[in-house]
Amino acid sequence: MKTNKIPLQDAHIVYFDGGKPAAGKGITFGYVLKGPTGEVIHKYGGNRNDNSLTTNDAEYIGLIEAISYCLRQGIRKTSIVGDSALIVSQIKGTYRVKAKHLKVHHAVAKELLANFEEYEINWVRREHNSEADAMCR
């Protein structure tokens, strides 16, 4: 597995997101997978009715669902995009994972990412992640 600082050429792009619904019950998460030329290949949105889960849990679950789907489809080169600076920084290793409940998600995500030939993960502002955000509604 190789991570890159430069944009990957001919890579799929997967946008992920997660959050808590306005009603405050459980979490929502989702992702949008695009092909190397930008066409939407797959969209997914889900939820869990566990009120103990946080927004950061939701973000990690969105990421894990996204990369799991990529791997099931045989995609091994991807650019991953999310609007959670915390999750992106933890995956990159620039932030430590302090919260116990996030350590499990982090370990699962890193284990899955090890199956990619190449990947990059980058943070974007929320307005640049609107398609994945819409999957959480």
Side-chain angles (χ1 to χ4, degrees):
M1 168 246 353
K2 178 182 165 194
T3 60
N4 257 330
K5 297 261 185 208
I6 58 172
L8 293 174
Q9 299 295 316
D10 301 319
H12 287 76
I13 303 168
V14 65
Y15 297 84
F16 73 93
D17 203 5
K20 290 192 80 72
K25 295 191 191 270
I27 59 164
T28 59
F29 50 89
Y31 63 87
V32 175
L33 174 65
K34 294 186 176 186
T37 59
E39 74 281 9
V40 174
I41 294 173
H42 184 70
K43 293 181 178 185
Y44 177 79
N47 64 57
R48 297 210 179 144
N49 291 324
D50 182 343
N51 289 331
S52 71
L53 296 173
T54 67
T55 299
N56 289 328
D57 288 308
E59 293 278 359
Y60 262 116
I61 291 167
L63 170 62
I64 290 165
E65 291 286 336
I67 57 182
S68 295
Y69 181 82
C70 289
L71 291 170
R72 287 192 308 272
Q73 299 307 307
I75 296 167
R76 296 295 184 269
K77 184 177 180 182
T78 189
S79 179
I80 304 163
V81 180
D83 61 19
S84 171
L86 177 72
I87 304 313
V88 169
S89 296
Q90 287 176 341
I91 293 295
K92 284 185 170 188
T94 54
Y95 287 6
R96 287 186 347 201
V97 183
K98 296 179 186 176
K100 283 184 182 180
H101 65 104
L102 296 182
K103 287 182 179 186
V104 173
H105 298 312
H106 180 265
V108 169
K110 292 297 277 186
E111 186 176 317
L112 290 168
L113 288 167
N115 292 294
F116 285 91
E117 292 170 14
E118 276 187 282
Y119 76 91
E120 64 180 2
I121 184 165
N122 293 297
W123 173 83
V124 294
R125 296 176 61 92
R126 180 170 289 145
E127 59 266 21
H128 298 292
N129 200 30
S130 59
E131 289 180 271
D133 180 67
M135 301 311 301
C136 298
R137 309 263 172 215

